[in-house]
């Protein structure tokens, strides 16, 4: 199943329109439509928003088999808590958080490459 198929399936299960999904995650309906028909791939920030909106794991959105992490699978420490916090943030707080994490990861990568 493609990511577009999965997004369409999740949306139809909830009986909502493409417009509703797009409005909630802050993109145009046209952009979201392109995701469902596999003409475009969402950026990382949008993937996170989609997973949070549909209340599924990011892995599931991009092609995993489980809609939610199972209790038996090893989870990344604190990932559940991070997701809970992210869901409570405003759009601007989410943007700032993603920017901070991206900056941190870039610095770490540069440090790894220089040392």
């Amino acid at each position: 199943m493609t990511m577009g198929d999965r997004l369409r399936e999740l949306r139809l299960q909830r009986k909502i329109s493409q417009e509703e999904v797009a409005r909630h995650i802050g993109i145009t309906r046209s952009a979201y439509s392109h995701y469902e028909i596999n003409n475009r791939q969402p950026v990382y920030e949008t993937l996170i928003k989609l997973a949070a909106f549909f209340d599924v794991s990011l892995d599931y959105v991009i092609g995993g088999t489980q809609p939610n992490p199972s209790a038996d699978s090893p989870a990344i420490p604190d990932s559940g808590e991070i997701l809970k916090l992210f869901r409570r943030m405003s759009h601007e707080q989410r943007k700032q958080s993603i920017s901070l994490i991206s900056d941190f990861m870039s610095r770490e990568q540069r440090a790894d490459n220089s040392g």
Side-chain angles (χ1 to χ4, degrees), residues 10-28:
L10 288 165
R11 181 178 59 79
L12 293 176
Q13 285 173 356
R14 286 158 181 79
K15 297 180 176 136
I16 56 176
S17 68
Q18 289 181 343
E19 181 68 36
E20 289 174 280
V21 176
R23 186 175 45 248
H24 183 79
I25 64 171
I27 62 173
T28 65

Side-chain angles (χ1 to χ4, degrees), residues 39-101:
N39 278 349
R40 288 191 211 153
Q41 297 295 312
V43 296
Y44 184 70
E45 181 181 85
T46 302
L47 285 170
I48 291 172
K49 291 177 184 180
L50 286 165
F53 178 76
F54 288 121
D55 196 26
V56 296
S57 69
L58 189 55
D59 177 64
Y60 183 73
V61 172
I62 61 175
T65 57
Q66 295 294 325
N68 291 305
S70 80
D72 299 334
S73 67
I76 298 170
D78 301 322
S79 61
E81 185 62 27
I82 291 169
L83 187 55
K84 286 179 192 174
L85 292 169
F86 193 80
R87 287 180 178 157
R88 293 194 328 235
M89 291 179 187
S90 69
H91 177 71
E92 188 58 37
Q93 289 171 321
R94 289 177 180 185
K95 284 174 50 178
Q96 289 174 352
S97 296
I98 289 170
S99 178
L100 287 169
I101 292 168

